[in-house]
């Protein structure tokens, strides 16, 4: 087995080749910026990159095992306009992050990326083993990539701030919560201390804002902010904290994944089950859906302007994919209601991971 030292040398060589290729010493032109969020879906044999037999997919996301007969929705790739999206490469990921840690912190939407990452490592025959984050003072669930020493953790902190359920026995997203917008969640601050990269995932718990009381300095805010306004406050506070206290981590935030509920479409009886394949950008059914969620993404963009936190804008790519939700294909004994909020794995969330990997795979972007 190769030593960690040899692995480190290999990683440095990889970065060196990448740097030379990009023209760090003036041999190449200036890198052209590309908006990865603008593009379209195209049929592809490159996806899916793993299958439903991956043991790390939660039962609630595994549509094929839950009886979904069509697999066509998995065979599409996102093509940004004007550039190529760098797809996740398991070996290069391990070499880039050798001996370091990556965390996904926030609500349950982060589980998609966490599970996608481990399944893609598994599909590439990269050995992983469960890792207990509490062994190094963190909270959550995790795994290690052997023998590279890469740690990946998921930390459930759905508001990114401290919050208490109004009823201790009722802790779901739709239940009542007291949310302290000025107190960053201790799970997040503890985890940030030892990371190389973090992906912040928050929004779903703010969008369900009918039963929330927002606090600042220990008291309810006089004029209660809307859910979108509260999320903006929190993201700015987290970004400021990272800027002032955490120098080495490279931070990202995932924009809110859209649900394709009937209220988002032109006709009240529309469900995600009615769609086959990606919607086109000109589809009339998208107009109302886009207006319903664009305010949330704009709030995230504005809150993170001039900060070190980079937004992974998945709005358009996800909005086109009403066909890729769980729908009625849920675990036996579970709900029989149409679920147009949860996403199937493998599926669209695999491209969310690619969006992050595209940026961290570049040594220039690894600079905090």
């Amino acid at each position: 087995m190769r030593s960690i030292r040899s692995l480190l040398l290999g990683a440095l060589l990889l970065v060196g080749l990448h740097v030379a290729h990009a023209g760090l010493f003036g041999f190449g032109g200036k890198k052209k910026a590309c908006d990865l969020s603008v593009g379209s879906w195209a049929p592809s044999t490159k996806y899916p990159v793993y299958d439903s037999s991956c043991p790390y997919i939660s039962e609630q996301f595994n549509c094929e095992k839950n009886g979904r007969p069509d697999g066509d929705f998995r065979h599409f790739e996102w093509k940004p306009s004007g550039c190529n999206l760098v797809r996740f490469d398991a070996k290069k990921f391990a070499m880039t992050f050798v001996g370091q840690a990556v965390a996904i912190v926030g609500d349950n939407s982060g589980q998609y990326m966490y599970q996608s990452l481990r399944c893609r490592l598994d599909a590439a025959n990269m050995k992983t083993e469960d890792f207990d984050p509490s062994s190094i003072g963190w909270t959550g669930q995790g795994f290690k990539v052997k023998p590279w020493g890469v740690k990946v953790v998921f930390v459930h902190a759905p508001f990114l701030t401290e919050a208490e359920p109004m009823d201790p026995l009722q802790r779901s997203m739709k239940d009542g919560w007291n949310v302290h917008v000025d107190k960053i969640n201790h799970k997040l601050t503890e985890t940030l201390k030892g990371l190389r990269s973090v992906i912040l995932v928050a929004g779903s718990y703010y969008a369900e804002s009918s039963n929330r009381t927002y606090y600042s300095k220990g008291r309810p805010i006089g004029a209660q902010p809307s859910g979108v306004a509260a999320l903006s406050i929190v993201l700015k506070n987290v970004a400021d904290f990272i800027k002032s206290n955490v120098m080495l981590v490279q931070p990202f935030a995932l924009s809110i994944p859209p649900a394709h509920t009937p209220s988002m479409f032109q006709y009240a009886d529309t469900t995600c089950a009615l769609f086959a394949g990606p919607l086109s950008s000109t589809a009339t059914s998208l107009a109302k859906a886009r207006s319903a969620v664009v305010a949330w993404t704009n709030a995230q963009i504005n809150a993170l302007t001039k900060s070190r936190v980079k937004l992974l804008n998945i709005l358009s790519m996800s909005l086109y994919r009403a066909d890729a939700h769980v729908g009625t294909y849920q675990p036996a004994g579970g709900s029989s209601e149409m679920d147009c909020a949860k996403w199937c794995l493998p599926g669209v969330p695999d491209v969310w991971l690619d969006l992050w990997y595209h940026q961290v795979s570049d040594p220039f972007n690894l600079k905090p």
Side-chain angles (χ1 to χ4, degrees):
M1 183 181 293
R2 291 181 296 173
S3 67
I4 291 295
R5 181 179 179 183
S6 65
L7 295 177
L8 282 167
L9 289 172
L12 289 172
L13 176 61
L14 176 69
V15 171
L17 290 172
H18 194 145
V19 168
H21 176 73
L24 177 62
F25 301 108
F27 299 113
K30 185 177 180 181
K31 255 194 343 174
K32 181 181 178 181
C34 175
D35 186 349
L36 300 174
S37 70
V38 178
S40 59
W41 290 95
S44 174
T45 57
K46 298 175 184 176
Y47 292 86
V49 288
Y50 58 92
D51 59 41
S52 61
S53 66
C54 175
Y56 308 114
I57 305 175
S58 292
E59 190 178 14
Q60 61 181 327
F61 304 146
N62 199 326
C63 297
E64 184 177 351
K65 281 196 172 182
N66 291 331
R68 181 165 178 170
D70 64 305
D72 292 346
F73 72 94
R74 299 176 301 172
H75 298 283
F76 289 90
E77 66 174 309
W78 177 251
K79 291 197 169 184
S81 301
C83 62
N84 295 318
L85 178 63
V86 178
R87 297 168 64 226
F88 181 84
D89 184 301
K91 185 70 171 289
K92 289 181 180 178
F93 163 77
M95 294 179 73
T96 300
F97 288 92
V98 62
Q100 301 181 84
V102 176
I104 302 167
V105 183
D107 62 39
N108 285 330
S109 293
Q111 280 282 4
Y112 297 115
M113 297 180 75
Y114 177 80
Q115 293 174 27
S116 173
L117 178 50
R118 194 167 188 182
C119 283
R120 294 173 88 159
L121 290 165
D122 184 68
N125 296 316
M126 301 285 284
K127 294 182 179 180
T128 63
E129 64 179 11
D130 290 342
F131 158 70
D132 182 5
S134 66
S135 64
I136 55 174
W138 295 350
T139 304
Q141 61 186 113
F143 64 86
K144 290 192 296 187
V145 186
K146 299 173 63 179
W148 303 87
V150 183
K151 298 182 181 69
V152 180
V153 299
F154 171 74
V155 180
H156 189 246
F159 292 101
L160 300 181
T161 62
E162 299 293 349
E164 310 94 31
M166 295 179 182
D167 180 345
L169 299 179
Q170 304 292 327
R171 307 179 66 89
S172 75
M173 182 171 66
K174 293 186 177 181
D175 293 319
W177 289 84
N178 296 318
V179 184
H180 301 269
V181 298
D182 57 339
K183 294 182 179 180
I184 300 173
N185 193 292
H186 68 281
K187 297 178 187 178
L188 173 57
T189 57
E190 290 168 358
T191 307
L192 282 170
K193 296 174 185 176
L195 294 179
R196 188 67 187 102
S197 186
V198 63
I199 305 170
L200 306 170
V201 184
S204 299
Y205 275 64
Y206 288 94
E208 188 66 42
S209 58
S210 59
N211 199 8
R212 304 282 185 264
T213 300
Y214 296 106
Y215 286 73
S216 180
K217 297 180 180 179
R219 296 182 178 182
I221 298 173
Q224 283 284 295
S226 63
V228 67
L231 176 61
S232 295
I233 295 169
V234 169
L235 284 177
K236 188 176 186 311
N237 287 342
V238 172
D240 288 345
F241 177 87
I242 290 173
K243 180 179 180 180
S244 301
N245 298 279
V246 189
M247 298 304 296
L248 297 179
V249 69
Q250 186 186 22
F252 295 86
L254 186 74
S255 68
I256 301 174
H260 290 84
T261 56
S263 62
M264 292 179 65
F265 292 99
Q266 187 174 358
Y267 304 106
D269 59 349
T270 302
T271 71
C272 55
L274 298 177
F275 297 95
L279 295 165
S280 72
S281 59
T282 58
T284 55
S285 57
L286 273 180
K288 187 177 180 181
R290 190 185 301 278
S291 65
V293 295
V294 71
W296 288 89
T297 300
N298 285 342
Q300 291 175 299
I301 292 171
N302 293 334
L304 299 175
T305 298
K306 297 182 180 180
S307 80
R308 282 174 43 209
V309 182
K310 298 180 181 180
L311 185 69
L312 304 174
N313 189 346
I314 63 169
L315 174 60
S316 290
M317 68 171 64
S318 304
L319 203 56
Y320 299 151
R321 299 305 307 275
D323 62 315
H325 288 288
V326 166
T328 57
Y329 300 103
Q330 302 180 48
S335 173
S336 60
E337 294 182 4
M338 180 70 63
D339 191 333
C340 296
K342 291 189 183 76
W343 298 84
C344 296
L345 281 179
V348 172
D350 297 315
V351 183
W352 304 348
L353 184 69
D354 286 340
L355 212 63
W356 169 77
Y357 181 74
H358 178 101
Q359 300 193 58
V360 298
S361 65
D362 189 326
F364 293 103
N365 282 329
L366 280 173
K367 183 178 179 180

